Amino acid sequence: SEHPLAQAVTSYLQDMVAGEITHFETLPGRGVTACIDGAKYYIGNSRLMAHMQLDIPVEMQKETAQWECDAYTVVWVAATDRVLAALAIADALKPSSVQAVEAMKQAGLQVYMLTGDSKSTARVMAQKVGIENIEAEVLPEQKAHYIKTLQQQGEVVAMIGDGINDSAALAQADVSIAMGTGSDIAMDVAAMTIVSGDLSRVEQAIHIS
């Protein structure tokens, strides 16, 4: 997967010896699954664990709940019959993001955050950048539906995204903007790509246009 969280996990574990990986499959909005030496494994969010109807030990629930309150994204690892591990990943906030959001608001734009992350993690990150409108734990198609709802209310919507899970929303938006540090599919769908991946460039692009 090209997702930044996936890159963080594989980078951290790159020296770990694994068996042969086969049948790799992306599960949109949930995670991935693959077979290693014939055994099937899953890695993804809590929605994936719930879909598999796996019970998460109470101690793990407490620990991961605290991680989310501290703005970590939790990634779960499981076999077909049990949860094996949980990883906490800090999604570092770019220094320019706060100024970028403020500049958009000063320009008269309403800023929304649509994310597949948990509500507690999304709330903390949104507070840091000054975003009041938050929709968390949303699937890719729900992002697109949310934009369609805004459009039906008469709004002209610009979508900024960088991942596979943003592609449907980018296609739905009136103005589609991809971040150049994200996935190829986001850049393929979007009408505009911010090459640097710096959110502050979005306002500059609006002024140039």
Side-chain angles (χ1 to χ4, degrees):
S1 175
E2 296 177 340
H3 195 288
L5 295 182
Q7 293 175 356
V9 172
T10 54
S11 175
Y12 182 73
L13 299 175
Q14 63 182 342
D15 296 328
M16 182 176 290
V17 178
E20 182 183 1
I21 299 175
T22 59
H23 301 92
F24 182 89
E25 180 184 356
T26 298
L27 307 171
R30 294 186 175 91
V32 297
T33 181
C35 291
I36 301 177
D37 292 337
K40 198 163 189 177
Y41 295 92
Y42 299 82
I43 180 166
N45 56 23
S46 58
R47 187 184 291 111
L48 177 58
M49 299 299 103
H51 177 74
M52 295 173 60
Q53 298 181 326
L54 295 179
D55 292 327
I56 299 173
V58 175
E59 287 304 313
M60 289 186 74
Q61 290 182 33
K62 291 179 180 178
E63 185 78 9
T64 54
Q66 183 58 53
W67 288 348
E68 290 179 344
C69 288
D70 294 335
Y72 286 94
T73 297
V74 178
V75 178
W76 298 92
V77 183
T80 55
D81 60 345
R82 67 191 188 283
V83 174
L84 300 174
L87 310 174
I89 303 177
D91 194 2
L93 184 66
K94 293 181 179 178
S96 61
S97 295
V98 177
Q99 291 81 4
V101 171
E102 181 59 29
M104 292 180 201
K105 292 164 76 173
Q106 289 294 326
L109 303 176
Q110 298 181 57
V111 183
Y112 294 77
M113 175 189 286
L114 304 179
T115 177
D117 262 338
S118 69
K119 293 179 180 178
S120 54
T121 300
R123 193 178 303 114
V124 173
M125 297 301 290
Q127 288 175 346
K128 289 183 178 180
V129 295
I131 297 177
E132 293 83 22
N133 304 301
I134 314 163
E135 288 294 320
E137 299 180 4
V138 290
L139 293 169
E141 60 269 22
Q142 291 174 323
K143 291 183 181 181
H145 178 73
Y146 191 87
I147 289 175
K148 187 175 182 179
T149 300
L150 291 175
Q151 291 169 328
Q152 290 172 341
Q153 295 171 0
E155 303 286 358
V156 176
V157 183
M159 170 68 185
I160 307 167
D162 65 356
I164 295 172
N165 293 337
D166 297 323
S167 57
L170 287 166
Q172 177 65 43
D174 299 290
V175 180
S176 51
I177 305 171
M179 306 306 288
T181 52
S183 67
D184 290 341
I185 190 171
M187 288 183 275
D188 287 342
V189 171
M192 181 193 303
T193 296
I194 305 297
V195 177
S196 69
D198 184 349
L199 199 58
S200 65
R201 301 292 185 184
V202 172
E203 193 214 359
Q204 293 179 21
I206 293 172
H207 281 300
I208 291 171
S209 67

